[in-house]
Amino acid sequence: MISKNKKKFLTSLQLKKYRILHNAFLAEGHKINHDLLNAGAVCKELYATTEWLKRNSDILPENFSDATDKELKSISNLKSAPEVIGVYEIKTVKPDVRKTGTSLILALDGIQDPGNLGTIIRTADWFGIKNIICSEDTADVYNPKVIQATMGAIARVNVSYTALESFIKNYKKETNMPVYGTFLEGENIYDKELSGKGVIVMGNEGKGIRKEIEKTVTDKLYIPNYPPEAETSESLNVATATAVICSEFRRRVLG
Amino acid sequence: MISKNKKKFLTSLQLKKYRILHNAFLAEGHKINHDLLNAGAVCKELYATTEWLKRNSDILPENFSDATDKELKSISNLKSAPEVIGVYEIKTVKPDVRKTGTSLILALDGIQDPGNLGTIIRTADWFGIKNIICSEDTADVYNPKVIQATMGAIARVNVSYTALESFIKNYKKETNMPVYGTFLEGENIYDKELSGKGVIVMGNEGKGIRKEIEKTVTDKLYIPNYPPEAETSESLNVATATAVICSEFRRRVLG
């Protein structure tokens, strides 16, 4: 049973200002709650159907309650009622140059669409990228639409927000690693030598990578269209471009 | 000026049954209208701001009218009012095995999300795939959300709906070409010999490729995760997986 006040609290977490106020975010549905609980995320409250609670008795947090389909539906963003809704603590990660410098990281420069951001996190998880650094104007990772689109990957990937330009400058100075980005005048990614370490910058859906950030890029890449002379779309969607690029980096090791 | 009746007609095209009834679909915003008009799509009606009409006087169809921001906003699905809304004739393409057999085509087996479908069309356009064959339960390509996500690519890619299983069987018999699909037990796509011709099957977001369609697949592929032993997402999003696969096919030529 979910009280009226509790319902109000839960639905308030759809909005960023209340997520910040309560330092908490919502996760809806089996997959994401299962993955978050397994990954050791701090679950403050969890509401689920009796059936779900029975089936997942081995991973339940301390503070759980049962709820009806109708109650869960009234809180949820999703079209069909989720079996479970969890409230998790937001873990504020400070990007650490020295720690991230030993691997491949993604830097997101103003990604706006929650679906794109979530899909990028899912892709990063698949290709073993553990850290994503976002500019402060990138969409909020704790937006329920983003959480949903990650399909549980948010449990395994660190996402942090920072002043991106100074982060990258500092990163370059401390680690001497390459900074990659895609540009129309970049080099054919298929032929280019790619390191297993460094930063890959992905830009805003409409405007691409900001001028200030572009200046920090050491290696400009390009995903060639086919055939090269054809009239085509101006660009790929940013989440699909991210996938193509990450795949190319990992192919050098896996292929 | 858009009359009350006309407004009713235009908003009705948000729904599939009215799109079928009128054999027409809506395109909202500059990019998609520009691309459709340039590609020679049949524009039945077009409503735009006076400024847009002036700027695009070289590509205007016969039947255009000016409209205010407020009028355009009242019809549109988008958050901000588009400068232009066009009504285009649905061109019903019958998939032709002999025509498509000479190139690479995509077959979509029950893709449900409009954003995914639109993004796949945009990706196909980028990588020179001119024909997409969909199972009859795939999302409707003329849904405004799909049209929007194609970012104009719908003007250059043929999308048709058919009984997918018999289409692929017929295709194999007539052309003897490979049929590719991704499966957990597939071969590492990075190492695999890939033809520039054939069908690439992509499956439903949750259920993957149907058993009946799986039986028609001649070459099972797998996009390896990194590092291979890591715990990771169960899969990539279908639109990003499509991009990685198409990129791999074209790399063999472009790289």
Side-chain angles (χ1 to χ4, degrees):
Chain A
M1 173 53 197
I2 305 178
S3 73
K4 211 173 157 184
N5 261 344
K6 188 52 83 182
K7 201 178 273 181
K8 209 172 149 189
F9 162 68
L10 293 169
T11 46
S12 80
L13 296 179
Q14 306 282 1
L15 297 177
K16 188 175 177 179
K17 64 175 179 179
Y18 293 106
R19 292 196 291 272
I20 293 173
L21 184 67
H22 299 294
N23 196 42
F25 69 97
L26 279 186
E28 307 173 41
H30 169 70
K31 175 96 182 75
I32 170 75
N33 279 285
H34 178 267
D35 285 12
L36 282 168
L37 291 169
N38 264 337
V42 180
C43 183
K44 297 175 156 206
E45 301 171 22
L46 186 131
Y47 304 89
T49 61
T50 316
E51 294 73 38
W52 192 90
L53 292 172
K54 267 189 207 156
R55 266 189 288 120
N56 295 279
S57 56
D58 52 329
I59 53 166
L60 292 183
E62 269 182 39
N63 195 0
F64 66 86
S65 317
D66 62 356
T68 63
D69 282 342
K70 208 178 150 190
E71 287 173 324
L72 291 164
K73 176 134 189 70
S74 72
I75 296 154
S76 174
N77 246 327
L78 306 177
K79 273 187 200 157
S80 42
E83 295 170 286
V84 52
I85 291 180
V87 179
Y88 293 85
E89 193 176 286
I90 290 180
K91 128 189 109 158
T92 312
V93 201
K94 282 219 174 144
D96 181 339
V97 166
R98 259 157 257 157
K99 228 171 133 189
T100 52
T102 59
S103 57
L104 200 56
I105 66 175
L106 273 177
L108 305 183
D109 182 23
I111 301 291
Q112 285 308 297
D113 182 78
N116 282 341
L117 178 57
T119 306
I120 288 172
I121 296 168
R122 184 173 172 190
T123 299
D125 186 33
W126 188 261
F127 289 114
I129 294 173
K130 293 284 163 220
N131 292 287
I132 300 181
I133 319 288
C134 303
S135 66
E136 267 145 4
D137 62 349
T138 292
D140 181 25
V141 63
Y142 296 108
N143 176 325
K145 283 182 197 158
V146 178
I147 296 291
Q148 210 56 38
T150 72
M151 291 292 284
I154 189 64
R156 291 174 295 273
V157 177
N158 295 319
V159 181
S160 54
Y161 292 77
T162 192
L164 197 56
E165 189 189 353
S166 30
F167 173 83
I168 297 178
K169 282 181 175 167
N170 195 17
Y171 174 90
K172 280 167 75 176
K173 208 162 66 186
E174 293 234 11
T175 68
N176 211 18
M177 293 288 173
V179 178
Y180 300 95
T182 45
F183 296 89
L184 287 176
E185 75 276 19
E187 290 175 76
N188 182 331
I189 190 171
Y190 301 130
D191 296 332
K192 171 92 179 157
E193 199 178 308
L194 300 174
S195 156
K197 297 173 185 176
V199 182
I200 303 170
V201 185
M202 300 302 302
N204 170 272
E205 286 87 349
K207 297 176 221 151
I209 296 173
R210 248 173 284 232
K211 277 276 166 251
E212 308 89 270
I213 306 283
E214 180 176 348
K215 282 182 195 149
T216 68
V217 172
T218 58
D219 295 73
K220 292 192 173 183
L221 305 173
Y222 181 66
I223 302 170
N225 61 307
Y226 179 90
E229 67 283 4
E231 196 184 324
T232 178
S233 299
E234 275 163 32
S235 62
L236 284 166
N237 160 281
V238 64
T240 59
T242 306
V244 169
I245 295 167
C246 293
S247 166
E248 264 307 296
F249 272 83
R250 296 317 191 190
R251 177 177 69 80
R252 314 303 166 97
V253 189
L254 297 167
Chain B
M1 173 54 199
I2 306 179
S3 73
K4 210 172 157 184
N5 260 343
K6 186 54 82 181
K7 203 177 272 182
K8 209 172 149 189
F9 162 69
L10 293 169
T11 47
S12 80
L13 296 178
Q14 308 280 2
L15 296 178
K16 186 174 177 179
K17 65 174 179 178
Y18 293 106
R19 291 196 291 272
I20 293 172
L21 184 67
H22 299 294
N23 196 43
F25 69 97
L26 280 187
E28 307 174 40
H30 169 70
K31 175 95 183 75
I32 171 74
N33 279 284
H34 178 267
D35 285 11
L36 282 168
L37 291 170
N38 264 338
V42 180
C43 183
K44 297 175 156 203
E45 301 171 21
L46 186 132
Y47 303 89
T49 60
T50 316
E51 294 73 39
W52 192 91
L53 292 172
K54 267 188 206 156
R55 267 190 287 119
N56 295 278
S57 56
D58 52 328
I59 53 166
L60 293 183
E62 271 182 35
N63 196 0
F64 67 86
S65 316
D66 61 357
T68 63
D69 281 342
K70 208 179 150 189
E71 286 174 325
L72 291 164
K73 177 133 188 68
S74 73
I75 296 154
S76 174
N77 246 326
L78 307 176
K79 272 186 200 159
S80 42
E83 296 170 288
V84 52
I85 291 180
V87 179
Y88 293 85
E89 193 176 287
I90 290 180
K91 128 189 110 154
T92 313
V93 201
K94 283 222 172 143
D96 180 339
V97 167
R98 259 158 257 158
K99 228 170 133 190
T100 51
T102 57
S103 57
L104 200 57
I105 65 177
L106 273 177
L108 305 184
D109 183 22
I111 301 291
Q112 286 307 297
D113 182 78
N116 282 341
L117 178 56
T119 306
I120 289 172
I121 296 168
R122 184 174 172 190
T123 300
D125 186 33
W126 188 261
F127 289 115
I129 294 174
K130 292 285 162 220
N131 293 286
I132 299 181
I133 319 288
C134 304
S135 66
E136 268 143 5
D137 61 350
T138 292
D140 181 25
V141 63
Y142 296 109
N143 176 325
K145 283 183 200 159
V146 178
I147 296 292
Q148 211 55 38
T150 73
M151 290 293 283
I154 188 66
R156 291 173 296 273
V157 177
N158 295 317
V159 181
S160 53
Y161 291 77
T162 191
L164 196 56
E165 188 188 353
S166 28
F167 172 83
I168 297 178
K169 282 183 174 166
N170 196 17
Y171 173 91
K172 282 168 74 175
K173 208 161 67 186
E174 294 233 9
T175 68
N176 212 19
M177 293 289 173
V179 177
Y180 299 94
T182 45
F183 297 89
L184 286 177
E185 75 276 18
E187 290 175 77
N188 181 333
I189 190 171
Y190 302 130
D191 295 332
K192 172 91 179 159
E193 200 179 309
L194 299 173
S195 158
K197 297 171 185 174
V199 181
I200 303 168
V201 184
M202 300 303 300
N204 170 272
E205 286 87 350
K207 296 176 223 154
I209 297 173
R210 247 173 284 232
K211 277 277 166 247
E212 308 88 271
I213 305 283
E214 180 175 348
K215 282 182 194 150
T216 69
V217 171
T218 58
D219 295 72
K220 292 191 173 182
L221 306 173
Y222 181 66
I223 301 169
N225 59 308
Y226 178 90
E229 67 283 4
E231 196 184 325
T232 176
S233 299
E234 274 163 33
S235 62
L236 285 166
N237 160 281
V238 64
T240 59
T242 307
V244 169
I245 295 167
C246 293
S247 166
E248 264 307 295
F249 273 83
R250 296 319 192 190
R251 177 178 68 81
R252 314 304 165 97
V253 190
L254 297 168

